[in-house]
Amino acid sequence: MTRKTVTEQYPDVQPDLAPRTRGVIGLFEENCTVCMLCARECPDWCIYIDSHKETIPAATPGGRERSRNVLDRFAIDFSLCMYCGICIEVCPFDALFWSPEFEYAETDIHELTHERDKLREWMWTVPAPPALDPGAEEPKEIAAARKTAEKLAATQAEQATQAAEATPAGPDNPQGGEA
């Protein structure tokens, strides 16, 4: 209250946004498997997804054919969206991200339904995730994998030394150990 007010000169001067500002939702189409979780969990039902099944031939002779979903349409109606982020949180394949873009106003409310090509354009404005804290605890999955790898390496080293000690000395190998 004791400081002088400052008027932002938008649109002549772009505002300084926080690094992880929520603007619009960007779509990384390659990661989308058309699982429909985002559309089912959306409380506003503002995500529209259409797809079809495609048959993939067998990879090996005698194998069976596979089928996969192919994305035909992915659209978000931003006139209905309440920017809760539930769709981004439930996406198991990291196909949806927050973009800091906020300038997407339209003169007609029907033009606020943005299709996948526009959502893809916004994907390239998504900032990189923040770096991990160097003092943070290592994730449990990585710690468990590292522990298993160290045990395996120790076991293999022990077996190699036992095999070297077990090789007898003979005329072909006077010092013993490996030939």
Side-chain angles (χ1 to χ4, degrees):
M1 290 178 54
T2 60
R3 284 188 252 158
K4 185 177 180 180
T5 58
V6 177
T7 302
E8 295 286 335
Q9 298 300 319
Y10 179 80
D12 298 328
V13 177
Q14 291 295 319
D16 291 327
L17 300 174
R20 302 301 287 174
T21 299
R22 289 183 175 192
V24 293
I25 298 167
L27 171 68
F28 190 56
E29 197 173 325
E30 288 79 14
N31 286 358
C32 183
T33 61
V34 196
C35 66
M36 307 289 266
L37 278 174
C38 56
R40 279 185 293 196
E41 295 297 324
C42 179
D44 292 331
W45 292 87
C46 64
I47 299 175
Y48 310 111
I49 301 174
D50 292 330
S51 67
H52 69 274
K53 289 206 182 273
E54 189 175 84
T55 303
I56 302 170
T60 58
R64 69 181 182 107
E65 294 179 335
R66 306 272 179 178
S67 65
R68 68 178 180 111
N69 289 328
V70 178
L71 185 64
D72 292 329
R73 178 179 186 227
F74 193 105
I76 299 176
D77 187 351
F78 286 103
S79 66
L80 296 175
C81 182
M82 64 181 186
Y83 303 92
C84 63
I86 292 174
C87 57
I88 295 169
E89 295 297 322
V90 300
C91 181
F93 300 104
D94 288 333
L96 298 173
F97 295 89
W98 282 117
S99 169
E101 293 294 315
F102 62 93
E103 300 175 312
Y104 57 95
E106 300 288 345
T107 56
D108 183 14
I109 195 168
H110 299 293
E111 293 175 5
L112 281 171
T113 301
H114 294 289
E115 298 292 330
R116 68 182 185 179
D117 57 340
K118 187 66 174 175
L119 298 175
R120 176 185 271 282
E121 286 178 31
W122 284 327
M123 182 59 210
W124 306 120
T125 63
V126 172
L132 296 176
D133 183 11
E137 181 179 308
E138 186 176 46
K140 293 175 184 152
E141 297 85 1
I142 295 174
R146 185 183 321 280
K147 188 175 180 181
T148 303
E150 288 171 356
K151 280 184 182 179
L152 182 62
T155 304
Q156 289 175 345
E158 183 180 318
Q159 290 175 350
T161 56
Q162 288 176 355
E165 292 171 0
T167 306
D172 294 335
N173 193 1
Q175 296 176 344
E178 291 188 29

PDB file of all heavy atoms in Angstrom, residues 158-169 176-178:
ATOM      1  N   GLU A 158      33.325 -61.862  -8.092  1.00  0.00           N
ATOM      2  CA  GLU A 158      33.676 -62.962  -7.195  1.00  0.00           C
ATOM      3  C   GLU A 158      33.805 -64.278  -7.967  1.00  0.00           C
ATOM      4  O   GLU A 158      34.732 -65.060  -7.753  1.00  0.00           O
ATOM      5  CB  GLU A 158      32.622 -63.090  -6.104  1.00  0.00           C
ATOM      6  CG  GLU A 158      32.920 -64.151  -5.063  1.00  0.00           C
ATOM      7  CD  GLU A 158      31.847 -64.232  -4.007  1.00  0.00           C
ATOM      8  OE1 GLU A 158      31.381 -63.169  -3.561  1.00  0.00           O
ATOM      9  OE2 GLU A 158      31.488 -65.373  -3.642  1.00  0.00           O
ATOM     10  N   GLN A 159      32.889 -64.518  -8.899  1.00  0.00           N
ATOM     11  CA  GLN A 159      32.955 -65.736  -9.718  1.00  0.00           C
ATOM     12  C   GLN A 159      34.194 -65.736 -10.598  1.00  0.00           C
ATOM     13  O   GLN A 159      34.810 -66.775 -10.805  1.00  0.00           O
ATOM     14  CB  GLN A 159      31.694 -65.865 -10.572  1.00  0.00           C
ATOM     15  CG  GLN A 159      30.446 -66.194  -9.765  1.00  0.00           C
ATOM     16  CD  GLN A 159      29.182 -66.189 -10.624  1.00  0.00           C
ATOM     17  OE1 GLN A 159      29.201 -65.769 -11.763  1.00  0.00           O
ATOM     18  NE2 GLN A 159      28.075 -66.658 -10.041  1.00  0.00           N
ATOM     19  N   ALA A 160      34.572 -64.580 -11.115  1.00  0.00           N
ATOM     20  CA  ALA A 160      35.763 -64.492 -11.964  1.00  0.00           C
ATOM     21  C   ALA A 160      37.022 -64.788 -11.161  1.00  0.00           C
ATOM     22  O   ALA A 160      37.920 -65.494 -11.636  1.00  0.00           O
ATOM     23  CB  ALA A 160      35.841 -63.108 -12.607  1.00  0.00           C
ATOM     24  N   THR A 161      37.115 -64.304  -9.923  1.00  0.00           N
ATOM     25  CA  THR A 161      38.304 -64.579  -9.101  1.00  0.00           C
ATOM     26  C   THR A 161      38.338 -66.046  -8.678  1.00  0.00           C
ATOM     27  O   THR A 161      39.405 -66.657  -8.637  1.00  0.00           O
ATOM     28  CB  THR A 161      38.326 -63.676  -7.854  1.00  0.00           C
ATOM     29  OG1 THR A 161      37.118 -63.842  -7.123  1.00  0.00           O
ATOM     30  CG2 THR A 161      38.519 -62.231  -8.232  1.00  0.00           C
ATOM     31  N   GLN A 162      37.177 -66.634  -8.402  1.00  0.00           N
ATOM     32  CA  GLN A 162      37.130 -68.055  -8.055  1.00  0.00           C
ATOM     33  C   GLN A 162      37.541 -68.913  -9.245  1.00  0.00           C
ATOM     34  O   GLN A 162      38.246 -69.916  -9.085  1.00  0.00           O
ATOM     35  CB  GLN A 162      35.731 -68.447  -7.580  1.00  0.00           C
ATOM     36  CG  GLN A 162      35.371 -67.911  -6.217  1.00  0.00           C
ATOM     37  CD  GLN A 162      33.940 -68.239  -5.834  1.00  0.00           C
ATOM     38  OE1 GLN A 162      33.176 -68.784  -6.616  1.00  0.00           O
ATOM     39  NE2 GLN A 162      33.573 -67.889  -4.595  1.00  0.00           N
ATOM     40  N   ALA A 163      37.123 -68.547 -10.438  1.00  0.00           N
ATOM     41  CA  ALA A 163      37.493 -69.300 -11.632  1.00  0.00           C
ATOM     42  C   ALA A 163      38.993 -69.178 -11.890  1.00  0.00           C
ATOM     43  O   ALA A 163      39.636 -70.143 -12.307  1.00  0.00           O
ATOM     44  CB  ALA A 163      36.702 -68.787 -12.832  1.00  0.00           C
ATOM     45  N   ALA A 164      39.576 -68.013 -11.632  1.00  0.00           N
ATOM     46  CA  ALA A 164      41.015 -67.820 -11.842  1.00  0.00           C
ATOM     47  C   ALA A 164      41.817 -68.629 -10.832  1.00  0.00           C
ATOM     48  O   ALA A 164      42.865 -69.185 -11.167  1.00  0.00           O
ATOM     49  CB  ALA A 164      41.364 -66.337 -11.726  1.00  0.00           C
ATOM     50  N   GLU A 165      41.337 -68.718  -9.597  1.00  0.00           N
ATOM     51  CA  GLU A 165      42.028 -69.498  -8.569  1.00  0.00           C
ATOM     52  C   GLU A 165      41.883 -70.988  -8.805  1.00  0.00           C
ATOM     53  O   GLU A 165      42.757 -71.781  -8.453  1.00  0.00           O
ATOM     54  CB  GLU A 165      41.472 -69.139  -7.191  1.00  0.00           C
ATOM     55  CG  GLU A 165      41.796 -67.738  -6.741  1.00  0.00           C
ATOM     56  CD  GLU A 165      41.059 -67.354  -5.476  1.00  0.00           C
ATOM     57  OE1 GLU A 165      40.290 -68.188  -4.943  1.00  0.00           O
ATOM     58  OE2 GLU A 165      41.251 -66.207  -5.025  1.00  0.00           O
ATOM     59  N   ALA A 166      40.790 -71.416  -9.410  1.00  0.00           N
ATOM     60  CA  ALA A 166      40.522 -72.836  -9.615  1.00  0.00           C
ATOM     61  C   ALA A 166      41.303 -73.415 -10.781  1.00  0.00           C
ATOM     62  O   ALA A 166      41.462 -74.628 -10.881  1.00  0.00           O
ATOM     63  CB  ALA A 166      39.028 -73.053  -9.840  1.00  0.00           C
ATOM     64  N   THR A 167      41.832 -72.595 -11.672  1.00  0.00           N
ATOM     65  CA  THR A 167      42.588 -73.108 -12.819  1.00  0.00           C
ATOM     66  C   THR A 167      43.942 -73.618 -12.319  1.00  0.00           C
ATOM     67  O   THR A 167      44.729 -72.861 -11.747  1.00  0.00           O
ATOM     68  CB  THR A 167      42.798 -71.991 -13.860  1.00  0.00           C
ATOM     69  OG1 THR A 167      41.535 -71.435 -14.199  1.00  0.00           O
ATOM     70  CG2 THR A 167      43.479 -72.532 -15.095  1.00  0.00           C
ATOM     71  N   PRO A 168      44.242 -74.943 -12.499  1.00  0.00           N
ATOM     72  CA  PRO A 168      45.490 -75.508 -11.961  1.00  0.00           C
ATOM     73  C   PRO A 168      46.703 -75.118 -12.819  1.00  0.00           C
ATOM     74  O   PRO A 168      46.592 -74.827 -13.998  1.00  0.00           O
ATOM     75  CB  PRO A 168      45.242 -77.008 -12.012  1.00  0.00           C
ATOM     76  CG  PRO A 168      44.247 -77.183 -13.113  1.00  0.00           C
ATOM     77  CD  PRO A 168      43.416 -75.938 -13.120  1.00  0.00           C
ATOM     78  N   ALA A 169      47.865 -75.143 -12.173  1.00  0.00           N
ATOM     79  CA  ALA A 169      49.121 -74.902 -12.898  1.00  0.00           C
ATOM     80  C   ALA A 169      49.520 -76.193 -13.595  1.00  0.00           C
ATOM     81  O   ALA A 169      49.386 -77.277 -13.055  1.00  0.00           O
ATOM     82  CB  ALA A 169      50.213 -74.476 -11.931  1.00  0.00           C
ATOM     83  N   GLY A 176      49.574 -70.985 -13.387  1.00  0.00           N
ATOM     84  CA  GLY A 176      48.199 -71.180 -12.911  1.00  0.00           C
ATOM     85  C   GLY A 176      47.345 -70.008 -13.363  1.00  0.00           C
ATOM     86  O   GLY A 176      47.792 -69.111 -14.070  1.00  0.00           O
ATOM     87  N   GLY A 177      46.112 -69.979 -12.966  1.00  0.00           N
ATOM     88  CA  GLY A 177      45.228 -68.887 -13.398  1.00  0.00           C
ATOM     89  C   GLY A 177      44.793 -69.094 -14.818  1.00  0.00           C
ATOM     90  O   GLY A 177      44.928 -70.171 -15.403  1.00  0.00           O
ATOM     91  N   GLU A 178      44.339 -68.041 -15.471  1.00  0.00           N
ATOM     92  CA  GLU A 178      43.814 -68.143 -16.834  1.00  0.00           C
ATOM     93  C   GLU A 178      44.938 -68.206 -17.835  1.00  0.00           C
ATOM     94  O   GLU A 178      45.990 -67.612 -17.649  1.00  0.00           O
ATOM     95  CB  GLU A 178      42.911 -66.951 -17.134  1.00  0.00           C
ATOM     96  CG  GLU A 178      41.628 -66.996 -16.347  1.00  0.00           C
ATOM     97  CD  GLU A 178      40.653 -65.918 -16.783  1.00  0.00           C
ATOM     98  OE1 GLU A 178      40.695 -65.528 -17.960  1.00  0.00           O
ATOM     99  OE2 GLU A 178      39.850 -65.519 -15.947  1.00  0.00           O
TER     100      GLU A 178
END
